[in-house]
Amino acid sequence: MINFKNLVEKYGSPLYIYDFNHFNERFAELRKAFRGNKLLIAYAVKSNSNLSVIKNFAKLGGGADCVSIGEVKRALKAGIEKYRIIFSGVGKSDNEIREAIERDILFINIESEAEMLRIENVAKNLGREARISVRVNPNIDPQTHPYISTGLHENKFGVDIETSKRIYIYAKRSEWLKPVGLHFHIGSQLTKLSPIRDSAEKIGNLLRHLKSLEIDIKFFDVGGGIGVKYCDEVTISPKDYAEAILSVLGNLDVTIILEPGRFLVANGGYFLTSVLYEKKNGNKRFIVVDGAMNDLLRPSLYGAFHDIEFISNKDIDLSEKSSADIVGPICESGDFLAKNRDVPVAISHGDIFVVKSAGAYGFSMSSNYNTRGRVAEIALENGVDRIIRDRETFEDLIALEDKYI
Ligand SMILES: *Cc1c(COP(=O)(O)O)cnc(C)c1O
């Protein structure tokens, strides 16, 4: 049991807490599911970009899936080996492409023909060959929230199978491009296996076709997206996931790359916030807390559900509950952490709400909206807590403006 009360006393509120032991268990589960196969687990840095979190996966032998050059630099800084770093994303600037080639990472994921030509151009100017992979969009409905669905042609991501073939053939002939990987990623928070299996099958067939053209694909990158339990979802087990992918590959000699983000870090993260006060508008009950949408955007952005545990500072009975909205101090009606949630009636100022499964897309999506400093981040490992990012001060927030007034 984590002593949330002590952590708030020690580090203040609001606060993010990460259970590194849980992260390690999830990493080990995935590795075990693919045992006996060549595997690279490339952690999706955007899900939680804290350097200490990345460093923790580096120590386990993980790689990194990055969607900006900033993330590539974070990964390198945290100790991820360059040959385990992938650069993905639908739009990369020439500067980002140049730096990725110079830093000699594993490969750059291409998401359009236009992008391929830019990469070829940059590589040529540098006089260095660029290793590439193509993100193929299998046009399969991942059956998840539309904002985190990426595998349909109506989404902006990847290229269709026919386009990918043209890209591979062009790249094979180019002096400056070396196709080494094949990639798909159909969405996030996937809870059904069949869209993954169908995608793997389609892309696996493409892999065979490319091999028949003597395009030497060494990496079969199946993306991330494995869902986690926020409420009562039934999700995909690593074992079933691995079986679905391995059965498609048969005896093809490739390294499998996974790009999990949420699966590794969501359930091991907690967002702690404290009660400011309660108010009623007519019959509607609101609990105003010190945490807000700038700290944890998922409820506002996706209507996402996070389980919340209520901890009182006083020795009182919390069993009687009534429905309330849990809202933050930000000047937006969309600023809430939960709606129509059963909250103990005895809750009062200073009590702590533990928002669970907040380790992925929590802090990494946070902002300074309303001139609120981003909160501190704390690692928990083997029962010991340590700070891994300071709470931002007012001086931090104005540092880049101050000199101009
Ligand atoms: C966001 C993203 C991931 C990680 O998705 P999760 O749902 O967090 O596992 C992996 N690969 C790519 C290309 C992504 O954009």
Side-chain angles (χ1 to χ4, degrees), residues 305-310 326 337-338 341 353-356:
F305 176 95
H306 286 268
D307 190 22
I308 298 178
E309 185 184 328
F310 309 101
I326 301 169
L337 296 177
R341 193 66 60 91
F353 287 8
V354 181
V355 183
K356 296 187 177 171

Side-chain angles (χ1 to χ4, degrees), residues 42-47 65-67 88-89 109 111 135 148 150 157 183-185 187-190 221-227 258-265 360-361:
Y43 169 57
V45 168
K46 73 174 185 282
S47 61
D65 176 52
C66 304
V67 291
S88 309
N109 251 325
E111 297 216 16
R135 176 166 178 178
I148 48 179
T150 58
F157 297 98
H183 176 231
F184 67 93
H185 170 78
S188 197
Q189 185 53 12
L190 308 176
D221 180 348
V222 302
I226 311 176
L258 314 178
E259 300 173 347
R262 191 187 310 270
F263 178 82
L264 293 176
V265 295
Y361 307 103

Side-chain angles (χ1 to χ4, degrees), residues 304-322:
F305 176 95
H306 286 268
D307 190 22
I308 298 178
E309 185 184 328
F310 309 101
I311 298 175
S312 179
N313 281 317
K314 299 124 228 148
D315 189 18
I316 49 169
D317 178 16
L318 296 181
S319 60
E320 195 193 333
K321 293 182 177 168
S322 76

Side-chain angles (χ1 to χ4, degrees), residues 111-151:
E111 297 216 16
S112 62
E113 282 180 291
E115 183 181 33
M116 171 188 69
L117 296 174
R118 297 267 13 129
I119 294 174
E120 184 186 42
N121 196 264
V122 173
K124 187 175 167 190
N125 286 336
L126 282 173
R128 284 175 73 159
E129 191 180 55
R131 285 182 296 277
I132 58 123
S133 168
V134 180
R135 176 166 178 178
V136 182
N137 184 327
N139 197 28
I140 284 171
D141 184 357
Q143 301 171 36
T144 183
H145 190 287
Y147 284 15
I148 48 179
S149 161
T150 58

